[in-house]
Amino acid sequence: MQVRREKLLELQKSGQDPFEIVKFDQTHRSDEILKNFEKLQGKTVSVAGRIILKRMMGKASFTHILDGEGKIQFYISINDVGESAYEEFKKWDLGDIVGATGTVFKTKTGETSVHVNKIQLLAKALIPLPDKYHGLKDNDVRYRERYVDLIVNPDVKKIFITRSKIISAMREFLDGEGFLEVETPVLQTIPGGAEARPFVTHHNTLNMKMYMRIATELYLKRLIIGGFERVYEIGKNFRNEGMSYKHNPEFTLMELYQAYTDYHGMMDITERMYKYILDKVIGTRKVMFEDAEINMDGKWRRLTMVDAVKEVVGVDFNKLTAEAAEKQLKGKMELPKNKTWGELLYAAFDQLVEKTLVQPTFIIDYPVEISPLTKRKKSEPRVTERFELFICGREMGNAYSELNDPIDQRARFEAQMKEREKGNDEAHMMDEDFVNAMSYGMPPTGGLGLGIDRMIMLFTNQHSIRDVLLFPTMKPLK
């Protein structure tokens, strides 16, 4: 690093400070030249990028540069660029950013290259890149210094290019289905739409506590009430919870709401959306995730939570009271604090069944106790018209036939408030304005939330959520 700083100082003293250069007219990028050699052979091009390899051979040299699309070779000769420029070039380091103009040709070994006649230093790298043989493999350093990770690990860059394409395809699909993309507040006075602990901040002018949103749900439903029949939002949500390979405090969620449909309609649109994105971006409906091949073709399985528990655990909640279910589950799992029928059913599913759901499965009909914004099922009032999608033992999406009865909604908020008074800081707060909005009349509505980060983990076969977030949350180094 000291040697590089001394080189920079020498350049600055001679009036050649690279940081004073404001632009370089880049006419082509590496991939364009490599793909169109026949068309560009002998033509003049201007290319810029980072030096990643140098082979000095007396009066002529080869160097590879990395630009935004890939890498390409430069051939640099003292006879073409001049003695002074060549001597300067010899002092440049790996990692330095350069711009060059020259003609396209192929070397004797058949490598498409640029025969340089002019080259200049555009920025000096003061910290060396990791050694090319050992690379950058320490995950902690990779996440903290993602900029270096992207330079030296091309496969990492591909993940984030795929991420961008997946989100674009999702928008394309939803726009084609007649949904309107909207934006709702990130700073909220009441955090709602999920059971989660929010991040708290303070608004100085209003002298009031505010919250980073935990979901977009309640604002999107207000738009359904206001007359928009199909809306969606793709955006950041924030939950002040534990961190793991599946959870980051800041994550990207897509939520959509459609009037005049139910959770069956949401299952249909979820399945169609996944298949559309797979066809458009991945090119196959079969993907490998860790050791499992996931087949997302055909009709996805739909299974009630009661039937899933019966199938895996052997306990049939349809035939049991809460007390009888507790006796059958004792010793098989950790029992929940509230031993109601619904809480016991969900705990059995969460602890014993969820991990077994490898192929795409919609688990439907969730207990009412854990679904405060969902319509009860008319034929079985202990459960709601709610589903979650599971793939590889991971929850990938959540959807409801939305509750639209304002009286019932108020009662459920009140029940949640009692939970908060008992110390459950993830329970919903009372949202009087939302109940007021509902009181003007909300049509029957289906709602869906999909975790985009988890979808990208699945489609790119990444075990940790940090591998699909450009800048995951990290504890600062001292």
Side-chain angles (χ1 to χ4, degrees):
M1 287 173 65
Q2 183 59 39
V3 169
R4 288 174 181 241
R5 285 180 178 270
E6 287 168 0
K7 288 181 180 180
L8 174 62
L9 187 59
E10 187 181 322
L11 286 166
Q12 290 169 332
K13 284 179 179 176
S14 65
Q16 300 178 70
D17 187 346
F19 298 124
E20 290 183 351
I21 296 170
V22 295
K23 66 176 293 191
F24 178 82
D25 292 324
Q26 188 182 16
T27 63
H28 296 77
R29 291 192 288 184
S30 58
D31 66 325
E32 186 182 357
I33 296 169
L34 297 173
K35 290 174 184 174
N36 299 288
F37 172 75
E38 300 298 332
K39 182 179 174 183
L40 292 172
Q41 184 177 13
K43 300 284 178 63
T44 298
V45 295
S46 293
V47 186
R50 186 183 299 276
I51 297 173
I52 56 170
L53 178 69
K54 281 178 79 176
R55 295 200 312 275
M56 307 302 295
M57 300 181 298
K59 295 184 178 182
S61 303
F62 288 98
T63 185
H64 280 109
I65 67 109
L66 182 72
D67 66 10
E69 297 299 328
K71 64 180 181 179
I72 194 165
Q73 180 172 260
F74 287 173
Y75 170 74
I76 303 158
S77 165
I78 194 170
N79 296 329
D80 298 312
V81 300
E83 187 176 346
S84 175
Y86 191 73
E87 288 303 313
E88 285 300 318
F89 164 74
K90 284 164 67 176
K91 298 176 188 176
W92 299 346
D93 297 299
L94 297 185
D96 288 353
I97 295 172
V98 300
T101 300
T103 53
V104 178
F105 80 112
K106 272 193 179 174
T107 64
K108 290 177 183 177
T109 59
E111 184 171 354
T112 299
S113 308
V114 177
H115 190 132
V116 174
N117 55 50
K118 183 180 179 183
I119 190 166
Q120 65 183 128
L121 183 63
L122 304 177
K124 183 72 187 165
L126 299 179
I127 301 177
L129 292 173
D131 156 340
K132 72 172 183 177
Y133 295 106
H134 299 98
L136 181 61
K137 294 174 182 171
D138 183 312
N139 281 341
D140 190 71
V141 178
R142 286 182 52 233
Y143 301 145
R144 290 183 188 279
E145 299 187 8
R146 181 68 85 188
Y147 36 89
V148 182
D149 190 28
L150 293 168
I151 294 168
V152 301
N153 292 323
D155 289 343
V156 171
K157 194 172 182 180
K158 287 178 187 173
I159 290 168
F160 293 104
I161 291 170
T162 302
R163 179 188 177 104
S164 180
K165 289 178 179 177
I166 287 169
I167 294 172
S168 293
M170 182 178 285
R171 282 194 166 97
E172 191 177 88
F173 172 82
L174 292 171
D175 293 345
E177 293 273 329
F179 284 83
L180 178 71
E181 184 173 12
V182 296
E183 293 178 304
T184 61
V186 174
L187 274 178
Q188 301 180 351
T189 53
I190 298 173
E195 291 188 4
R197 186 182 300 113
F199 285 94
V200 186
T201 186
H202 187 268
H203 192 293
N204 291 338
T205 302
L206 297 176
N207 191 25
M208 63 182 288
K209 188 186 288 186
M210 295 194 79
Y211 304 89
M212 302 292 285
R213 72 180 177 199
I214 56 174
T216 54
E217 178 168 343
L218 301 188
Y219 280 95
L220 291 174
K221 285 182 179 177
R222 285 171 169 93
L223 297 179
I224 293 289
I225 293 163
F228 290 108
E229 292 185 359
R230 298 186 182 203
V231 292
Y232 76 95
E233 182 169 8
I234 296 173
K236 294 282 191 181
N237 289 335
F238 308 85
R239 297 182 184 178
N240 199 351
E241 299 170 343
M243 294 165 61
S244 73
Y245 68 95
K246 292 193 289 186
H247 297 97
N248 193 70
E250 174 183 350
F251 61 98
T252 306
L253 193 70
M254 186 287 297
E255 282 201 57
L256 67 80
Y257 292 84
Q258 179 180 341
Y260 310 113
T261 190
D262 63 1
Y263 73 146
H264 293 289
M266 293 296 98
M267 281 182 254
D268 294 341
I269 201 168
T270 301
E271 198 169 322
R272 291 203 310 276
M273 186 189 309
Y274 261 79
K275 289 173 181 176
Y276 181 91
I277 295 168
L278 286 163
D279 293 345
K280 178 98 180 180
V281 180
I282 309 302
T284 175
R285 293 185 181 182
K286 293 180 181 179
V287 298
M288 289 299 299
F289 186 77
E290 297 175 350
D291 298 327
E293 182 182 76
I294 311 303
N295 184 358
M296 283 176 269
D297 203 10
K299 189 76 173 169
W300 294 0
R301 193 179 189 202
R302 303 182 182 190
L303 189 66
T304 68
M305 186 176 285
V306 167
D307 285 343
V309 170
K310 180 182 175 183
E311 190 175 281
V312 175
V313 186
V315 176
D316 187 354
F317 272 76
N318 275 335
K319 297 179 179 177
L320 298 173
T321 62
E323 293 76 14
E326 182 183 349
K327 285 179 185 175
Q328 290 204 27
L329 293 171
K330 202 167 186 178
K332 293 182 179 179
M333 51 173 273
E334 183 181 335
L335 297 175
K337 188 184 293 183
N338 296 325
K339 297 178 180 63
T340 64
W341 183 89
E343 293 278 7
L344 286 162
L345 170 62
Y346 179 71
F349 171 79
D350 184 53
Q351 294 179 43
L352 304 173
V353 180
E354 184 176 315
K355 61 192 174 189
T356 70
L357 303 172
V358 176
Q359 298 301 323
T361 306
F362 292 112
I363 295 295
I364 67 174
D365 300 353
Y366 273 55
V368 71
E369 293 96 319
I370 60 162
S371 309
L373 300 167
T374 317
K375 273 192 175 182
R376 292 176 190 265
K377 191 164 187 179
K378 202 169 181 181
S379 59
E380 173 53 273
R382 293 183 295 183
V383 301
T384 60
E385 294 198 352
R386 173 185 175 186
F387 78 76
E388 286 185 314
L389 169 63
F390 290 90
I391 305 175
C392 282
R394 301 183 183 198
E395 182 258 307
M396 306 295 287
N398 187 16
Y400 313 150
S401 296
E402 302 294 338
L403 180 64
N404 63 342
D405 177 346
I407 298 168
D408 190 356
Q409 181 64 80
R410 176 179 291 281
R412 296 202 205 181
F413 275 147
E414 287 170 352
Q416 288 281 300
M417 288 298 290
K418 287 177 183 174
E419 287 297 310
R420 288 187 73 84
E421 287 165 10
K422 292 176 185 175
N424 181 1
D425 56 2
E426 293 189 357
H428 286 254
M429 295 182 185
M430 172 62 76
D431 191 333
E432 290 285 359
D433 181 72
F434 179 64
V435 176
N436 183 63
M438 262 193 165
S439 299
Y440 280 94
M442 176 177 165
T445 298
L448 166 68
L450 285 181
I452 288 178
D453 305 315
R454 291 190 181 182
M455 176 187 277
I456 292 160
M457 288 166 68
L458 174 65
F459 288 178
T460 60
N461 195 9
Q462 299 301 310
H463 175 73
S464 172
I465 192 171
R466 292 183 173 189
D467 289 317
V468 300
L469 300 176
L470 279 167
F471 301 103
T473 304
M474 304 288 288
K475 185 177 181 180
L477 296 171
K478 290 184 181 178

